[in-house]
Amino acid sequence: MRHGKKVNHLGRKAAHRKAMLANMACSLIEHKRINTTVAKAKALKQFIEPLITKSKVENNQTTEKGTHNRRIVFKNLRDKYAVTELFGSVAEKVGERPGGYTRIIKLGNRLGDNADMAMIELVDFNELYNAGKPKKKSTRRGRTKKTTVTPPVAVETETKADDSEE
């Protein structure tokens, strides 16, 4: 039974799993989308979304907090080029998004072993998917105020026929 077990072990020991997720996260940050199995994509989503959130905080906080976040992210990713990319262009692009930085799209089954395959991508970097949609307005929490509508006033106009009779 798996009561209370939140981590998908993916059939690997802890060190192998952490190294694999770190490598997949670096590839996702570098290429903006990768193809993998559905189980690995779901595990990667749980691994990388908190790191992206930490990269966003640096731009809004003091340098002490930003340095601390960089060190935490580097501890997980183990690649300074990926950390630089994450805190640079990725954090800038997802700055306004409150969460949900990745999207998993199922692709079907792999030919060799019939494994469920998926593509995981960073949401804001897919120009084709986001091209037709306008940007959403910020949410309004308060009730909308009703405006009173005044009835239109009837304006009397004289016709040209009336002018010609005079």
Side-chain angles (χ1 to χ4, degrees):
M1 283 188 265
R2 295 190 66 244
H3 295 300
K5 306 282 194 283
K6 292 190 179 353
V7 175
N8 186 354
H9 295 291
L10 300 173
R12 289 160 173 82
K13 302 283 183 175
H16 185 188
R17 185 174 54 252
K18 288 176 186 173
M20 182 190 67
L21 288 173
N23 288 334
M24 289 174 64
C26 291
S27 296
L28 180 63
I29 291 168
E30 182 184 348
H31 300 291
K32 310 304 186 242
R33 77 171 51 126
I34 57 173
N35 290 339
T36 183
T37 63
V38 173
K40 287 180 190 174
K42 288 180 180 178
L44 179 60
K45 184 172 188 148
Q46 287 181 337
F47 180 81
I48 200 165
E49 294 226 352
L51 302 181
I52 296 174
T53 302
K54 287 188 186 309
S55 72
K56 276 178 29 178
V57 171
E58 183 192 55
N59 296 333
N60 301 331
Q61 297 292 328
T62 62
T63 56
E64 293 175 7
K65 185 84 170 177
T67 305
H68 182 63
N69 285 339
R70 272 185 184 269
R71 287 178 178 162
I72 290 173
V73 170
F74 181 75
K75 181 183 78 169
N76 289 311
L77 290 182
R78 308 172 193 168
D79 183 6
K80 64 182 180 180
Y81 300 112
V83 172
T84 304
E85 177 78 13
L86 178 64
F87 278 80
S89 64
V90 175
E92 179 183 323
K93 200 102 167 187
V94 300
E96 298 298 320
R97 184 174 288 276
Y101 312 111
T102 57
R103 175 186 299 128
I104 296 175
I105 301 171
K106 295 183 181 177
L107 299 176
N109 296 340
R110 187 162 49 196
L111 288 176
D113 59 356
N114 208 30
D116 290 332
M117 296 299 288
M119 178 178 66
I120 182 167
E121 65 181 1
L122 295 174
V123 172
D124 291 317
F125 286 90
N126 188 344
E127 289 83 20
L128 297 175
Y129 190 78
N130 297 331
K133 297 181 181 177
K135 227 177 179 182
K136 283 188 175 181
K137 296 180 182 176
S138 62
T139 57
R140 290 182 56 175
R141 298 286 172 166
R143 291 181 57 182
T144 57
K145 296 182 174 109
K146 293 186 178 181
T147 58
T148 58
V149 178
T150 58
V153 179
V155 178
E156 295 181 22
T157 58
E158 297 181 17
T159 62
K160 287 189 176 185
D162 293 338
D163 292 335
S164 61
E165 291 178 4
E166 293 179 18

